[in-house]
Amino acid sequence: MKRSLPRLLLRLSLCLLVLSGTLLAYVSHQGVQALLYPARRGLDDYHRSVVAQPKDFGFELTSLSVERPGGVTIAAQYLSPRPEILPQVQADYQRQLTAAGMGNLLQWVRPRGTLVLLHGRNSCKEHWYPAAERFARIGFNIILLDNRAHGQTQGGCCTFGSQEAADVSAVLDAVAARWGLPAEVGVMGYSLGGAAAVSLLPHEPRVKCAVLVSVFADLEEIIAGPARARFGSWSGLAMPFVRLETRWRAGFSMSEICPCHTAAQITVPCLLFHGAQDQFVKPEHSQRILAALSSKQKHLTEIPDAAHADVFIKGGNKLYLEITAFLKETLL
């Protein structure tokens, strides 16, 4: 009996070890699955009305797709502005633009530049339509695209800028070949899209300025918080498994996705926005990116009542006017 007790304890220990390993593997797999394949958002009635009658919103709309290595097909849209006066489309923005001394931007004959708008996680290109209306009204072509694992883009997984930056360059190539691309090109990215923009800027000389909204400074930092909330103390033990599985399945290292470090390579003018009440990506992330930027012209505006996903809603036309003034100064 005495001899069998150590064997029993050993078997129990081995069973607990296997059970713990299985649980850790499950926790890490669930985390990686959610990380790489976010839920895809559908379109609402407003989005459908814009797609059905884009002229009523101030632009022509052409869909295009760009093939990428590994069987990934990027879904994109090219919006070309219409010069007609459309007082019912973003009329309040137009009034405020005139009151701010920028009413001359409403008068133009041919497009004066191109803006690339990059959406955030769990979003899609159509969610940029309210911004596209405003910027088309002052004569900008707009390029929208669905990031990997979002919207209508097929294949691949979300890589938080590791592959998305090259996707943007490929879409720019496709637009340049089909419509031409003026020298005045700017990029605007929200959260995940902002991280992709940061990864893009050091390697894409065609982009002359950037607007970065609610961008995280370090990917692992923002993953750690939700992981603790979901899995408790298991999250810390699971992180090495998450890193390994992410590298194996998606081909990138989470430690490499660090916009705060990449920002030092950026020299073009940058305008940053962040919600002061953002608890997911706290404002200090944008503050760190701002400090790291090598740009001579850089500025951060915090939106007092905004959290992570409602910066444009809370900022309203005041925010759009600040972006417009920035674009006028840096592109036009």
Side-chain angles (χ1 to χ4, degrees):
M1 183 68 179
K2 291 182 180 180
R3 292 181 179 179
S4 62
L5 184 59
R7 293 180 181 176
L8 180 61
L9 291 175
L10 178 60
R11 290 174 181 173
L12 286 173
S13 298
L14 288 174
C15 287
L16 287 173
L17 185 62
V18 171
L19 182 61
S20 299
T22 302
L23 184 57
L24 278 173
Y26 172 78
V27 168
S28 67
H29 177 73
Q30 291 297 307
V32 171
Q33 187 72 18
L35 188 70
L36 302 182
Y37 302 99
R40 295 184 186 247
R41 292 277 298 275
L43 305 186
D44 60 25
D45 290 341
Y46 162 68
H47 300 138
R48 295 187 185 92
S49 64
V50 174
V51 173
Q53 296 291 337
K55 293 180 182 179
D56 293 344
F57 297 87
F59 47 77
E60 305 278 356
L61 187 156
T62 305
S63 296
L64 65 151
S65 60
V66 178
E67 299 298 326
R68 302 287 294 134
V72 176
T73 303
I74 304 297
Q77 292 175 342
Y78 182 73
L79 281 56
S80 52
R82 294 171 59 87
E84 297 94 333
I85 299 297
L86 297 170
Q88 298 307 312
V89 176
Q90 302 298 350
D92 188 51
Y93 166 69
Q94 295 182 50
R95 284 193 295 268
Q96 293 186 38
L97 196 69
T98 300
M102 294 185 286
N104 62 310
L105 293 179
L106 296 169
Q107 307 300 323
W108 48 275
V109 176
R110 59 179 58 86
R112 50 168 48 108
T114 297
L115 296 179
V116 184
L117 308 184
L118 305 175
H119 66 76
R121 181 176 166 80
N122 296 319
S123 185
C124 61
K125 60 185 181 300
E126 288 82 5
H127 290 172
W128 276 116
Y129 283 164
E133 286 183 37
R134 290 168 169 86
F135 297 128
R137 190 65 199 89
I138 58 174
F140 279 98
N141 299 309
I142 310 293
I143 298 173
L144 307 176
L145 63 143
D146 286 325
N147 289 320
R148 293 180 176 223
H150 292 80
Q152 296 172 312
T153 287
Q154 300 299 316
C157 56
C158 179
T159 68
F160 297 89
S162 177
Q163 298 296 324
E164 286 81 356
D167 294 339
V168 176
S169 288
V171 172
L172 285 174
D173 291 342
V175 169
R178 186 167 177 179
W179 291 281
L181 200 62
E184 301 80 6
V185 178
V187 65
M188 185 183 308
Y190 203 126
S191 191
L192 162 64
V198 170
S199 295
L200 171 77
L201 288 167
H203 313 291
E204 184 48 86
R206 290 176 290 189
V207 178
K208 302 300 191 297
C209 70
V211 179
L212 307 173
V213 185
S214 304
V215 183
F216 58 84
D218 185 292
L219 179 60
E220 287 205 12
E221 285 185 31
I222 63 162
I223 290 174
R228 281 194 299 270
R230 185 173 182 182
F231 300 113
S233 59
W234 285 100
S235 63
L237 297 172
M239 279 306 292
F241 293 90
V242 171
R243 296 186 187 100
L244 286 171
E245 187 173 353
T246 300
R247 167 70 82 174
W248 175 65
R249 292 176 63 181
F252 75 97
S253 171
M254 292 195 301
S255 62
E256 296 171 356
I257 310 301
C258 191
C260 186
H261 291 164
T262 308
Q265 304 172 44
I266 295 173
T267 58
V268 299
C270 291
L271 178 61
L272 288 74
F273 292 94
H274 213 110
Q277 307 304 317
D278 192 339
Q279 296 301 308
F280 179 56
V281 180
K282 295 187 176 181
E284 66 184 47
H285 284 259
S286 279
Q287 294 164 9
R288 289 159 56 191
I289 293 172
L290 180 74
L293 285 166
S294 295
S295 310
K296 292 182 179 178
Q297 183 177 349
K298 56 184 180 179
H299 178 73
L300 168 63
T301 295
E302 292 190 13
I303 308 301
D305 300 327
H308 185 68
D310 60 355
V311 171
F312 280 88
I313 295 173
K314 296 292 186 180
N317 279 330
K318 183 179 179 181
L319 179 149
Y320 281 108
L321 290 175
E322 186 172 348
I323 295 174
T324 302
F326 172 76
L327 296 175
K328 179 181 179 183
E329 181 178 359
T330 57
L331 285 185
L332 308 182

